[in-house]
Amino acid sequence: MAAVADLAQARSSAHRALPPAEDPGAVSLLLFYAYREPAWTDAEHKKALAEVLAIGARHKITGRGRCAPEGLNCTLTGRGGDVRKFCASLRAWDGALFGPADFKVTDGLEENQRFKALTIRKTEELVGYGLANDRAPKLATNSARHLEADAYHKALETPGAVVIDVRNQYETEIGRIVPPPGGAELLDPKIRNSHEFPRWLNLPETKKKLAGRSVLMYCTGGIRCERASALLHDMNAAPTCESQEDCANKAAAAALLEGADPPKEILMVRGGIERYLRTFPEGGYWRGANYLFDKRFEQRPEKQADRRPLGSCAACLAPCDEYRGKFACKFACAAKDCRVPVVVCAACRDPVFADAAKRPALAAKLRCRLCRENHAGARATPLPDCVLKGGADDVARKAAAKRQRDDRATAKAARPPARFVFVGNLPFTAERSEVLDALSLDRATPLTWLLDRTTRLFYGSAVITCADVAAASKVVDAAGRRPRRVRGRKLRVNFGAGGGDGCDGPRPPCARPRVAVLEAPAAKRAKKGNAA
C-alpha cells in the first residue's frame, strides 16, 4: 500500500469545522457540492440563489457554480480566511443542506489562479445527465456506499471487482486510475459528455460486465458519482407493484437485464480523485494528470515519480497532457457532432497564437481519440426504463416553460416605443461615456446603471433617458440595423421602463467580487455535460 498523507487532512470535512488557514490572506480554492431532496420549488430556488450570491459577495468570494432545484455545485476562490467564513455562513444559513457537505479547500494558490468574478449559473440539474426533475434517481434510497480514500485504495485491489471512470473521454485521456494486477478491472465508458452515461449503463454488454460484481466508481470531486450510483441502483431495484397491471413490469425488467444479476455492491470514493490524490501524494494507483475545471487546469500527485504524459497531441500525436487554448474536435465521424476538447502540444499551438491565420489549418487536423477510432458511443442506446418514469410530466413541464418564455419574448417584442432605452450585456467596468458614444448619443444624455436589488451590485444593464420617443426610436432602430459594441461585447438595445432601482455616475458601482446570475440556454445545456 502506498504511503498515506495526513489522514486528518484527507478525511471529509462533512459535519466538521475546517482547519484554519496557515496564511488567511493568501488565495485559497474551495470545491464543494450539496444535493437536496426534495428539490427546491421555483420560489425556493430563486431565494436560495440570491442568498448564496449575497453570502459570496459579503465574504469577497469569486468563482463559478451551478445552482439547480436539486442543490448547488461550486468552484470558488478567495482569501483563506474569507473562504472559511463563507463555508461557516452557508452552514449557518442551511445546516441540513451544508452540514454534510465536504468542503475541500486548497490553500496557497497564486494570485493569477483566482477567479475575477462570482458567477452562479441557474440550471435544471447539477450534472448534465439529462436526469432533471422527475427523472432524477433518488439519493435517499441509493444503496451505494462512500469509502474514504484509503479504504477505496484498498478496494481497488479486490479481485473480480470493476471500477468505472464516470468522467468524460477528454478527462480520461490525460489521467486515470490503473488498478494493480489481479485487482479491479477498469471500465472506460468512452463518453463525449455526461448525457451519454445513462445510455452506456443501459448497454447489454455493460450490464453483463457489472453483474454480480463489486462496482467502484470515481470522478473528479464526487458529484457525478452521486447521481450515477443512484441511477445504477434504480436500474437494478425490484419494480414496485401498485396494481395487478403494474406487476407485469417485473417480467419486463427481468427481460431488460437479459438474465444478468445486479451488481453485488456499489462503492464510490468520497471527495473524488481530488481527495484521493491528497491522501496519496505519491499517486497511489493514479496515473497521469487530473483534469480540473478551475485555473489550475490539472492536478498531479505532489510526489509522483513518473510524470510521463498519458495523453497525446490531437494534431501530431506527441505525448502531451495540458489543455491550453480551448481547442476542440470538429471531425465529422460516427458521432456526427463531436466537440470534445483536445490536447494540442506547444509546438503545434504556438504558431497559431502568433499567426491567427494558421488556426483554420490546425483546426482541420484536430481529431479526438474517439473520432480517430470512429467510436459513435452509446447515443443510439435507449435510456434506462427507470429514467422514463416521469417522462410525460417532464415533457409537459418543459413545454409549459417554453410557452411562458415565448409569451415573454412576444410581449417584449411588442413593447411600445418609449423615451427610455434599455441597454444590456455591458462590461462590468464600462464607463458612462463608452456606452453613450457606442450609441451615438450626446454625453450629457442621462444614464442610470441598474443594480441587483439583493447585492446592490452592477450586473451589466443600464437605462438611458432620451429627450422624447422619436430620439429613443432612432437609437433602437440604429442598433437593430448595426450591432453596437462596448469593449467587444455586443449590446442588447430595446425600449424599456424608467431608471428603476439603480444609480447615476460615470462608472457602475461595481465593488469586487462582481456577481452574475446566468440562465443557461437549453441548447447549450443539451450539448455540454458540465462536470465536477
Side-chain angles (χ1 to χ4, degrees):
M1 189 171 179
V4 178
D6 182 1
L7 290 181
Q9 296 291 334
R11 289 286 186 263
S12 166
S13 63
H15 301 293
R16 296 195 299 118
L18 296 175
E22 294 184 5
D23 182 358
V27 177
S28 295
L29 176 78
L30 170 66
L31 307 175
F32 76 94
Y33 66 86
Y35 275 110
R36 62 164 285 127
E37 289 179 348
W40 282 312
T41 64
D42 290 344
E44 291 171 338
H45 186 193
K46 183 177 180 180
K47 183 178 179 181
L49 178 57
E51 184 66 27
V52 173
L53 290 173
I55 294 174
R58 187 161 67 244
H59 296 296
K60 301 180 177 62
I61 298 298
T62 58
R64 58 194 180 194
R66 295 166 68 91
C67 184
E70 63 186 7
L72 192 68
N73 178 29
C74 291
T75 300
L76 307 174
T77 54
R79 302 299 172 190
D82 291 336
V83 163
R84 286 157 172 82
K85 292 177 183 177
F86 172 80
C87 297
S89 296
L90 287 181
R91 285 177 169 172
W93 166 55
D94 192 338
L97 179 60
F98 295 105
D102 182 10
F103 293 113
K104 298 185 286 291
V105 180
T106 302
D107 294 319
L109 270 65
E110 300 293 334
E111 189 65 37
N112 62 4
Q113 292 179 320
R114 183 178 183 178
F115 288 101
K116 294 181 180 179
L118 176 61
T119 303
I120 304 293
R121 186 176 295 277
K122 188 178 180 183
T123 59
E124 290 185 7
E125 57 181 330
L126 296 185
V127 179
Y129 282 137
L131 303 177
N133 303 315
D134 294 336
R135 291 187 169 199
K138 301 302 180 185
L139 301 180
T141 56
N142 185 10
S143 63
R145 293 188 292 118
H146 292 90
L147 294 182
E148 299 293 352
D150 53 325
Y152 187 85
H153 177 87
K154 189 67 177 176
L156 292 171
E157 301 169 357
T158 305
V162 293
V163 55
I164 301 175
D165 191 328
V166 182
R167 303 171 303 152
N168 300 327
Q169 182 275 333
Y170 63 90
E171 300 170 78
T172 63
E173 169 80 9
I174 64 171
R176 50 194 173 271
I177 281 178
V178 180
E185 175 189 358
L186 176 65
L187 297 184
D188 181 1
K190 294 185 177 182
I191 56 176
R192 288 176 168 83
N193 57 57
S194 295
H195 273 263
E196 294 183 32
F197 187 79
R199 300 177 187 274
W200 177 82
L201 277 182
N202 205 34
L203 286 170
E205 52 266 36
T206 302
K207 294 176 182 178
K208 291 179 180 179
K209 276 281 189 182
L210 306 184
R213 306 170 76 178
S214 293
V215 177
L216 289 76
M217 293 183 170
Y218 72 88
C219 60
T220 307
I223 185 170
R224 282 178 275 189
C225 289
E226 297 283 358
R227 282 283 187 240
S229 63
L231 175 59
L232 182 57
H233 166 87
D234 282 5
M235 288 173 62
N236 292 278
T240 58
C241 287
E242 297 181 0
S243 67
Q244 185 175 359
E245 181 181 354
D246 290 338
C247 288
N249 292 333
K250 289 186 176 181
L256 282 173
L257 289 174
E258 297 184 351
D261 295 326
K264 177 182 176 181
E265 59 181 347
I266 306 171
L267 307 170
M268 50 184 161
V269 57
R270 190 185 297 276
I273 302 165
E274 204 273 343
R275 193 168 290 284
Y276 181 84
L277 295 187
R278 290 191 190 199
T279 309
F280 297 95
E282 296 177 0
Y285 294 127
W286 178 263
R287 300 292 181 269
N290 180 27
Y291 182 92
L292 298 175
F293 298 88
D294 57 64
K295 293 193 174 184
R296 295 176 297 168
F297 299 108
E298 60 271 327
Q299 174 191 20
R300 292 177 173 81
E302 294 179 3
K303 301 178 182 179
Q304 189 174 47
D306 185 0
R307 291 179 173 258
R308 289 174 296 179
L310 293 188
S312 59
C313 174
C316 69
L317 302 183
C320 183
D321 61 0
E322 295 182 346
Y323 283 95
R324 302 291 187 274
K326 297 183 179 180
F327 294 97
C329 172
K330 299 179 181 178
F331 188 73
C333 68
K336 297 182 180 179
D337 185 22
C338 182
R339 296 185 178 273
V340 171
V342 293
V343 175
V344 177
C345 68
C348 291
R349 69 174 181 257
D350 286 351
V352 168
F353 293 148
D355 184 359
K358 296 181 179 180
R359 178 175 281 269
L362 175 62
K365 296 192 299 182
L366 299 183
R367 297 173 65 184
C368 72
R369 185 180 299 275
L370 298 184
C371 283
R372 293 200 297 268
E373 299 173 357
N374 198 33
H375 179 73
R379 294 186 176 191
T381 305
L383 285 167
D385 184 63
C386 61
V387 168
L388 304 177
K389 59 184 182 295
D393 293 339
D394 202 29
V395 170
R397 180 167 40 250
K398 289 182 178 180
K402 183 179 185 303
R403 286 194 299 271
Q404 291 179 354
R405 291 195 299 270
D406 292 343
D407 291 344
R408 287 196 296 268
T410 301
K412 185 176 181 180
R415 185 176 292 166
R419 69 190 188 102
F420 300 108
V421 175
F422 170 84
V423 183
N425 199 36
L426 290 164
F428 286 166
T429 55
E431 297 280 354
R432 181 176 180 276
S433 58
E434 291 180 290
V435 180
L436 295 175
D437 289 347
L439 298 174
S440 302
L441 290 170
D442 186 272
R443 291 193 175 183
T445 304
L447 180 148
T448 302
W449 308 106
L450 299 182
L451 309 184
D452 184 271
R453 293 182 180 180
T454 302
T455 64
R456 303 303 299 167
L457 297 178
F458 176 64
Y459 59 90
S461 301
V463 169
I464 295 173
T465 305
C466 296
D468 50 37
V469 173
S473 298
K474 183 178 179 181
V475 173
V476 174
D477 291 344
R481 290 193 301 270
R482 182 173 66 85
R484 307 298 169 147
R485 299 178 183 273
V486 171
R487 302 186 191 180
R489 300 188 68 167
K490 181 179 176 181
L491 305 184
R492 298 195 305 271
V493 181
N494 206 336
F495 295 109
D501 190 8
C503 71
D504 299 317
R507 173 179 291 184
C510 181
R512 288 193 176 186
R514 298 189 292 273
V515 179
V517 182
L518 302 180
E519 184 80 35
K524 187 174 182 180
R525 284 198 303 272
K527 286 186 176 181
K528 187 174 182 182
N530 199 332

